[in-house]
Amino acid sequence: MSKNYAEKFDSLKDLFKAYRETGRCLASFNVNDNYDARAVIEAANEVGTNVMLMTYPPVIEGVGAEVFRGMTNGLKAIAKNDVYLHLDHSTSVDQCKWAIDAGFDSVMIDGSQHPIEKNIEMTKEVVEYAKSANVLVEAEVGKIMGRNVVVNSPDDFLASVADVKRLYTETGADIIAVGIGTAHGFTPTKPKIYFDRLQEIANAIVAPLVLHGGTGIPDEDIQKSISMGISKINIGTIVHTTYMKYFREGVVAAGDAAYPPLIMKEVLPEIIKVVVDRLKAVNV
Ligand code: 13P
């Protein structure tokens, strides 16, 4: 690793500005509880990097945004570098406001399923609310495939440069996630990333860009997209599937004697291993 991924910044906005300018990328991991959150922090310690923890909406709906914020604060005691907390893929303005009030560093308002006008309107409302708390806002144009997103042609998911420009300039969102061919989850074949479109978008706006669907993207494509303006990459499925695989094995092996903290002793190193591997692919 030749670039400094452990640099300290006054704010997350400053970090992303510097990362975009210097071709660095903040690896961001979806986590669900104290165990995988801890594994990500230990992996970041091992690699020597700043890192972002991200919660999907069901996590804060189940645990509480304040509880997850408090837990992350506690875990920061074992972190050697900076750890940021983000709400990922929220489709609700009110939920974003909840996370902002709870002290999250960053929220994503995902209006990508709506026409651009509605997307802009929702994003604007979150940006306005986030301002006084200095919370970063991520918005999305185009679609990330996989899960329930049905696409028939590139027109259904590919971010239009004009829409990206509008979303960025009319809302003041800090970072923009772009649909350029990646998909959430394991992909049966290598995703076809539309690098030409990424380049056009990167030429059109100075905002740090976000790439979703990190689990299925080969290392060389991760690195190529970082060199073209991707400053945040989201990685989720590989974390929770590793967690579930080894947890399930532990439960089966222990039978009725299964006790979560003892099983997690075996699971934690496995999660750390995959996160270290992904961190090394991003921190180039
Ligand atoms: P994966 O689950 O494919 O790693 O994608 C995660 C993501 O993009 C979350 O926003």
Side-chain angles (χ1 to χ4, degrees), residues 136-200:
L136 184 118
V137 178
E138 176 178 339
E140 178 175 316
V141 183
K143 293 191 175 67
I144 317 302
M145 288 179 280
R147 305 213 176 117
N148 299 323
V149 177
V150 181
V151 297
N152 299 307
S153 78
D155 287 344
D156 293 339
F157 66 83
L158 204 50
S160 105
V161 180
D163 284 355
V164 171
K165 261 183 162 167
R166 281 194 66 190
L167 188 72
Y168 179 55
T169 54
E170 292 181 31
T171 67
D174 300 285
I175 60 176
I176 307 287
V178 288
I180 51 168
T182 61
H184 285 124
F186 289 104
T187 49
T189 54
K190 183 172 157 358
K192 174 177 165 25
I193 300 182
Y194 289 69
F195 286 107
D196 291 354
R197 183 56 56 89
L198 175 58
Q199 191 62 66
E200 286 167 10

Side-chain angles (χ1 to χ4, degrees), residues 30 54 56 88-89 108 144 147 183-186 211-216 234-238 240:
N30 294 101
M54 305 188 293
Y56 277 127
D88 195 24
H89 278 295
M108 175 187 193
I144 317 302
R147 305 213 176 117
H184 285 124
F186 289 104
L211 191 61
H212 284 240
T215 293
N234 290 9
I235 301 163
T237 302
I238 187 74
H240 78 251

